Amino acid sequence: LVNTKINMEHSATNGGTPKPPRRVGLIGLGAIGETVAKALLRNSATTSVPPAPGASPDGVDGAALCAVLVRDVSKYDDASWLDGILITSDADTFFAARPEV
């Protein structure tokens, strides 16, 4: 994510060690979950979702979507904007992705 680059550059300019983004795991991709996922992925190559009115065009600084837990994985087979993101209906698999938030 572009946000990762921003965080690393910011930390480096302040004399600190670059910090990787927090790994975010979402439970559900309903109206709210999808909006959050798209905001997290805004600057990745997987989506070109415009920011909401008044929102930062840079996505969520310091966060990266790592996994999504859903009831029915097959509902997201055509969701190309989620390519590369773990989509699972198994809680153990979800937590094995080690989300921090």
Side-chain angles (χ1 to χ4, degrees):
L1 292 171
V2 171
N3 291 329
T4 304
K5 182 179 177 187
I6 293 168
N7 282 346
M8 291 181 162
E9 289 174 354
H10 180 70
S11 295
T13 59
N14 289 329
T17 303
K19 295 180 182 179
R22 295 277 182 172
R23 297 172 56 82
V24 177
L26 292 179
I27 298 176
L29 270 177
I32 295 171
E34 184 174 334
T35 301
V36 172
K38 286 180 177 179
L40 289 167
L41 296 172
R42 185 173 299 130
N43 284 321
S44 73
T46 61
T47 186
S48 60
V49 177
S56 167
D58 297 328
V60 180
D61 195 22
L65 182 60
C66 71
V68 181
L69 182 65
V70 296
R71 259 186 233 164
D72 183 5
V73 175
S74 66
K75 288 174 62 174
Y76 304 97
D77 288 344
D78 294 333
S80 61
W81 62 275
L82 287 169
D83 286 348
I85 304 298
L86 172 66
I87 309 295
T88 184
S89 59
D90 180 67
D92 290 337
T93 302
F94 174 79
F95 286 111
R98 300 181 326 156
E100 299 171 294
V101 179

